[in-house]
Amino acid sequence: MTRILFWIALIVLVVMAVRSKLKAAARRSQMAPPPQQPSAPAGEIEAMTQCAHCGMYFPASEAVRADGLDYCSPGHVRLPPQ
Ligand SMILES: [Zn+2]
């Protein structure tokens, strides 16, 4: 009799474990974001420009403009273009 009770308890435990695992997996798949989501939209990619003196590339928003040319820093504005 004890053996039967042991097996019933074991089966109940296994069923409960499997159920909780299935619930967790279902919850994970619901919460997971769509797999193909672009990390950076095309509109957020910043234009790059080149310093007229040293040739370094940097974001256009940080450019120092002088005489129609882009410079990386105010110090390079005073130096001649290369
Ligand atoms: Zn420069």
Side-chain angles (χ1 to χ4, degrees):
M1 189 65 193
T2 328
R3 267 192 178 180
I4 292 166
L5 283 175
F6 168 78
W7 283 109
I8 289 169
L10 190 74
I11 289 163
V12 166
L13 280 172
V14 167
V15 167
M16 283 170 71
V18 168
R19 270 187 163 185
S20 69
K21 282 230 170 183
L22 285 173
K23 268 189 189 173
R27 210 178 305 140
R28 220 176 299 136
S29 67
Q30 279 175 358
M31 283 164 61
Q36 288 180 336
Q37 198 172 33
S39 55
E44 286 181 19
I45 295 169
E46 194 167 3
M48 300 294 278
T49 189
Q50 191 177 15
C51 177
H53 175 71
C54 66
M56 188 178 78
Y57 284 94
F58 55 95
S61 63
E62 296 171 20
V64 180
R65 300 219 80 192
D67 302 327
L69 296 168
D70 291 329
Y71 296 89
C72 66
S73 64
H76 281 184
V77 174
R78 280 179 248 122
L79 297 166
Q82 288 183 337

